[in-house]
Amino acid sequence: MAAENAQSKQARIDRIKSFILTCPDFPKPGIPFKDIMPIVQNPDVFSDTIALLEEHIKETGVEVDIVAGKLPGETVKCSYALEYGQDTIEIQKTAVKPDQNVVIVDDLIATGGTMAGACTLMETVQANVVGCLTVVELDYLKGRENLKHALHSLVHY
Ligand code: AMP
């Protein structure tokens, strides 16, 4: 039964992967940009993507208070280097209360700069980072080595 479940989980991940487009040389020469918009445009595939991430959190048994995204408002900022440039992320100062358990979700991890920056931001507002989730991981960039928290990704390249 466990093997059957693992197989059907892999089939679900393979279906999600089949919706990801690779755009060569975007936004700069040499960058294989992973476009997940077709996932977002297909409600069934999008909801299964979220379900798989949620199932992972349930399996790990961590208690989560907050799922973190990118928010407006009075903010704390963090700048970092991207695979193809520089970026800044922000969090509302009041978005998280001290000691809340936060799981950070992003579409993709490349070098890990964004995820590491998000973890730093959360620690700045005294939250506990209990895990990091992404739909896509570019294994060849070894981004997870830049993280001190557990990372779970669905689709690997
Ligand atoms: P990084 O900080 O290098 O891990 O980059 C992760 C962030 O940049 C994610 O939020 C992605 O949206 C974006 N990103 C970086 N590289 C790519 C790529 N090859 N394809 C799509 N998005 C990317």
Side-chain angles (χ1 to χ4, degrees):
M1 193 62 192
E4 257 174 50
N5 282 345
Q7 204 182 14
S8 72
K9 186 175 272 193
Q10 191 54 52
R12 290 163 68 196
I13 291 170
D14 290 345
R15 182 171 79 127
I16 289 164
K17 190 169 187 176
S18 76
F19 278 78
I20 298 172
L21 300 174
T22 300
C23 312
D25 300 317
F26 179 85
K28 288 187 176 173
I31 300 295
F33 190 86
K34 301 298 180 196
D35 180 8
I36 66 154
M37 193 51 80
I39 294 178
V40 178
Q41 285 168 332
N42 185 313
D44 183 45
V45 177
F46 188 45
S47 90
D48 199 40
T49 304
I50 305 300
L52 276 166
L53 294 176
E54 189 184 353
E55 282 164 31
H56 173 76
I57 289 294
K58 284 189 179 142
E59 279 162 24
T60 58
V62 289
E63 202 173 299
V64 174
D65 298 309
I66 300 271
V67 178
K70 298 167 189 172
L71 300 166
E74 203 195 332
T75 58
V76 183
K77 293 184 189 187
C78 177
S79 295
Y80 53 92
L82 268 183
E83 192 189 359
Y84 45 76
Q86 184 84 15
D87 210 346
T88 300
I89 49 171
E90 306 176 38
I91 182 174
Q92 286 178 321
K93 282 183 179 163
T94 55
V96 181
K97 296 184 190 78
D99 272 338
Q100 280 192 307
N101 289 345
V102 179
V103 62
I104 301 173
V105 185
D106 204 357
D107 60 339
L108 179 145
I109 181 166
T111 65
T114 306
M115 194 59 95
C119 292
T120 302
L121 272 188
M122 285 298 163
E123 285 163 358
T124 305
V125 293
Q126 294 170 292
N128 301 320
V129 178
V130 293
C132 304
L133 301 176
T134 61
V135 179
V136 181
E137 179 171 0
L138 304 183
D139 295 341
Y140 52 91
L141 292 176
K142 300 183 172 28
R144 66 168 58 230
E145 291 178 9
N146 290 325
L147 304 179
K148 54 183 184 178
H149 301 285
L151 168 73
H152 180 71
S153 310
L154 296 179
V155 175
H156 296 260
Y157 289 92

